[in-house]
Amino acid sequence: MTNSVVILLGANLGDKFSTMANAVEELKNSVGEISKISSIYETDAWGKEDQPSYLNQVVEVQTGISADDLIHITQDIENKLGRVRKEKWGARIIDIDILFYNHDIIELENLKVPHPWLQERRFTLEPLTEILPNYLHPVLNLSIRDLLLQCDDPLEVKKLVKETNHPTY
């Protein structure tokens, strides 16, 4: 069975563009076919503001991998790309969050889907709206576009032009 998974990538340390491109390649090689990919967006850090700005991007992947296996694979990719977990919301080389897995509601010890805070974060909703504006949140029963319209996150999110030397899918 093919599952549709929506993933958020974030990076605010090192060569952020290169790390994001490498994360997309790793997802393609380890998880499945990339069916949609947003532009890259830049925003100030959320939750812990005294750190460099973030780049964020949303990808939709088609996969046969279970959600339980997927969380381990995405953490392996983070580790491979140099992520070190020091503090909650701290600066990082790469962050890979599973936002949606089909329209499932998943409550595991190490995974909650839909991502519990996505509706509060403009840096997640802007790229999501670009590629999946009409996707219905399975718990809130609102479209991504409507969630963005209701979001009161004050952080500015800037859409960046896709780098020409990075692949598009």
Side-chain angles (χ1 to χ4, degrees):
M1 175 180 163
T2 301
N3 302 294
S4 179
V5 180
V6 182
I7 294 173
L8 174 71
L9 304 174
N12 77 332
L13 293 176
D15 183 345
K16 299 182 273 192
F17 282 101
S18 180
T19 301
M20 299 278 282
N22 290 338
V24 169
E25 275 303 307
E26 289 291 333
L27 287 171
K28 206 165 96 172
N29 295 335
S30 305
V31 177
E33 178 187 344
I34 306 282
S35 52
K36 293 182 181 178
I37 188 165
S38 76
S39 300
I40 293 175
Y41 291 75
E42 182 177 33
T43 189
D44 289 336
W46 189 97
K48 188 172 182 330
E49 292 82 21
D50 62 337
Q51 55 183 307
S53 65
Y54 272 86
L55 295 183
N56 291 104
Q57 185 173 42
V58 171
V59 296
E60 182 182 42
V61 185
Q62 305 305 312
T63 187
I65 298 170
S66 71
D68 195 31
D69 289 340
L70 183 61
I71 188 65
H72 296 293
I73 292 169
T74 58
Q75 288 173 345
D76 287 346
I77 293 170
E78 288 177 338
N79 294 338
K80 181 178 181 180
L81 295 177
R83 171 138 186 209
V84 177
R85 286 171 172 75
K86 291 181 182 172
E87 62 182 316
K88 186 174 185 171
W89 296 330
R92 61 202 72 173
I93 294 279
I94 189 70
D95 187 32
I96 302 175
D97 288 335
I98 300 168
L99 302 177
F100 297 111
Y101 186 92
N102 298 318
H103 283 87
D104 299 355
I105 298 167
I106 301 169
E107 294 268 345
L108 303 173
E109 183 180 324
N110 59 346
L111 176 64
K112 293 193 182 348
V113 174
H115 191 286
W117 300 304
L118 74 89
Q119 67 275 5
E120 299 171 19
R121 297 173 172 175
R122 190 170 299 282
F123 68 82
T124 302
L125 292 170
E126 291 277 354
L128 252 177
T129 300
E130 179 185 336
I131 64 170
L132 296 166
N134 299 315
Y135 185 93
L136 277 185
H137 189 292
V139 174
L140 303 175
N141 204 30
L142 291 168
S143 72
I144 299 303
R145 179 183 288 119
D146 288 341
L147 289 174
L148 177 58
L149 290 172
Q150 293 179 10
C151 182
D152 59 6
D153 178 359
L155 290 181
E156 180 186 1
V157 178
K158 294 180 279 191
K159 182 177 179 178
L160 303 179
V161 176
K162 284 189 181 178
E163 296 285 303
T164 56
N165 61 342
H166 290 94
T168 54
Y169 303 92

XYZ file of all heavy atoms in Angstrom, residues 3-4 8 17 21-22 30 36 42-43 47 64 66 73 79 92 100 105 120 128 132 136 138 158 161 166-168:
217
model
N 1.474 5.087 0.915
C 1.061 6.100 1.875
C 1.569 7.455 1.438
O 2.673 7.569 0.917
C 1.644 5.772 3.256
C 1.220 4.410 3.738
O 0.046 4.184 4.000
N 2.158 3.491 3.832
N 0.762 8.468 1.677
C 1.160 9.841 1.395
C 1.608 10.477 2.706
O 0.828 10.558 3.654
C -0.014 10.609 0.801
O 0.359 11.936 0.548
N 8.153 18.181 7.037
C 8.745 19.505 7.112
C 10.239 19.366 7.352
O 10.659 18.628 8.246
C 8.129 20.304 8.271
C 8.769 21.671 8.558
C 8.443 22.670 7.448
C 8.302 22.204 9.911
N 21.239 25.570 2.661
C 20.679 25.159 1.366
C 21.167 23.762 0.979
O 20.405 22.919 0.529
C 21.020 26.167 0.261
C 20.178 27.397 0.291
C 20.668 28.568 0.831
C 18.893 27.392 -0.226
C 19.896 29.714 0.871
C 18.100 28.532 -0.206
C 18.608 29.697 0.346
N 18.951 20.290 0.553
C 18.989 19.486 -0.680
C 19.408 18.049 -0.364
O 18.850 17.096 -0.920
C 19.942 20.117 -1.689
N 20.382 17.893 0.529
C 20.814 16.542 0.915
C 19.705 15.788 1.635
O 19.541 14.580 1.443
C 22.062 16.611 1.803
C 23.289 17.043 1.031
O 23.362 16.913 -0.188
N 24.269 17.577 1.739
N 15.671 6.874 0.706
C 15.338 6.008 1.841
C 13.845 5.828 2.089
O 13.446 4.860 2.726
C 15.939 6.569 3.132
O 17.313 6.761 3.015
N 5.511 16.111 -4.268
C 5.390 17.579 -4.250
C 6.490 18.124 -3.360
O 6.874 17.500 -2.368
C 4.037 18.026 -3.692
C 2.872 17.661 -4.585
C 1.575 18.167 -4.003
C 0.435 17.749 -4.932
N -0.871 18.152 -4.419
N 12.327 31.328 4.556
C 13.210 31.727 5.645
C 12.397 32.443 6.714
O 11.512 33.246 6.408
C 14.308 32.662 5.133
C 15.286 33.062 6.220
C 16.412 33.934 5.692
O 16.175 34.718 4.755
O 17.522 33.828 6.225
N 12.705 32.143 7.972
C 12.035 32.802 9.088
C 12.973 32.862 10.293
O 13.908 32.071 10.386
C 10.729 32.074 9.465
O 10.015 32.852 10.409
C 10.998 30.707 10.032
N 10.253 29.833 19.125
C 10.372 29.137 20.393
C 11.608 29.515 21.186
O 11.553 29.669 22.388
N 5.795 3.132 1.010
C 5.188 1.933 1.567
C 5.611 1.707 3.002
O 5.219 0.715 3.632
N 5.836 2.099 7.018
C 4.904 2.402 8.112
C 5.366 3.663 8.843
O 6.546 4.025 8.816
C 4.840 1.235 9.092
O 6.049 1.154 9.835
N 13.661 6.143 10.396
C 14.410 6.481 9.174
C 14.718 7.977 9.135
O 15.840 8.383 8.832
C 13.639 6.029 7.916
C 13.606 4.493 7.854
C 14.255 6.624 6.651
C 12.658 3.933 6.814
N 20.671 12.212 11.801
C 21.979 11.860 12.363
C 23.053 11.811 11.288
O 24.162 12.316 11.477
C 21.901 10.521 13.102
C 21.027 10.593 14.334
O 20.793 11.670 14.886
N 20.521 9.453 14.761
N 19.993 23.809 14.906
C 20.267 22.472 14.387
C 20.666 22.493 12.920
O 20.232 23.356 12.162
C 19.069 21.565 14.590
C 17.840 22.077 13.865
C 16.563 21.556 14.411
N 16.296 22.172 15.693
C 15.193 22.024 16.385
N 14.239 21.273 15.940
N 15.021 22.621 17.528
N 2.011 14.938 8.430
C 0.836 14.116 8.158
C 1.280 12.767 7.622
O 2.295 12.674 6.921
C -0.076 14.770 7.108
C -0.650 16.094 7.522
C -0.250 17.263 6.906
C -1.613 16.173 8.523
C -0.784 18.489 7.273
C -2.148 17.394 8.899
C -1.735 18.555 8.268
N -4.444 9.537 12.389
C -4.135 10.147 13.674
C -3.309 9.108 14.415
O -3.767 7.993 14.670
C -5.417 10.507 14.443
C -6.226 11.526 13.634
C -5.079 11.042 15.827
C -7.640 11.734 14.125
N 0.044 26.289 14.697
C 0.516 27.477 15.415
C 1.760 28.086 14.787
O 2.257 29.105 15.273
C 0.850 27.101 16.863
C -0.334 26.574 17.632
C 0.061 25.994 18.980
O 1.165 26.317 19.478
O -0.730 25.216 19.530
N 3.355 24.648 3.437
C 2.270 23.673 3.299
C 1.176 24.209 2.393
O 0.648 23.493 1.539
C 1.664 23.378 4.678
C 1.929 22.048 5.325
C 1.307 21.994 6.709
C 1.510 20.890 4.490
N -0.179 22.168 -0.664
C -1.384 21.423 -0.269
C -2.415 22.349 0.384
O -2.844 22.117 1.517
C -1.012 20.301 0.711
C -0.111 19.199 0.175
C 0.452 18.350 1.310
C -0.881 18.327 -0.811
N -7.157 18.704 4.194
C -7.901 18.860 5.437
C -7.147 18.245 6.600
O -6.789 17.074 6.566
C -9.274 18.181 5.334
C -10.392 18.956 4.672
C -11.697 18.185 4.762
C -10.556 20.336 5.277
N -6.802 16.302 9.709
C -7.711 15.249 10.160
C -8.278 15.423 11.565
O -9.267 14.777 11.901
C -6.861 13.979 10.077
C -5.460 14.422 10.048
C -5.445 15.818 9.492
N 9.544 34.455 4.798
C 9.897 34.958 3.469
C 10.123 33.794 2.518
O 10.958 32.923 2.782
C 11.164 35.808 3.529
C 11.001 37.087 4.316
C 12.285 37.879 4.346
C 13.183 37.284 5.410
N 14.357 38.072 5.750
N 13.574 32.364 -3.579
C 13.611 31.781 -4.917
C 14.386 30.476 -4.824
O 15.436 30.411 -4.179
C 14.276 32.745 -5.919
C 14.405 32.106 -7.283
C 13.496 34.040 -5.992
N 19.944 23.547 -7.249
C 19.301 22.498 -6.465
C 18.223 21.844 -7.318
O 17.505 22.520 -8.053
C 18.704 23.062 -5.181
C 19.758 23.469 -4.205
N 20.232 24.739 -4.132
C 20.446 22.754 -3.296
C 21.163 24.807 -3.190
N 21.322 23.617 -2.682
N 18.086 20.526 -7.206
C 17.117 19.823 -8.046
C 15.675 20.178 -7.693
O 15.378 20.516 -6.560
C 17.387 18.347 -7.730
C 18.029 18.343 -6.385
C 18.774 19.638 -6.272
N 14.833 20.111 -8.682
C 13.401 20.231 -8.448
C 12.786 18.885 -8.798
O 13.328 18.129 -9.583
C 12.779 21.333 -9.330
O 13.116 21.089 -10.681
C 13.260 22.699 -8.920
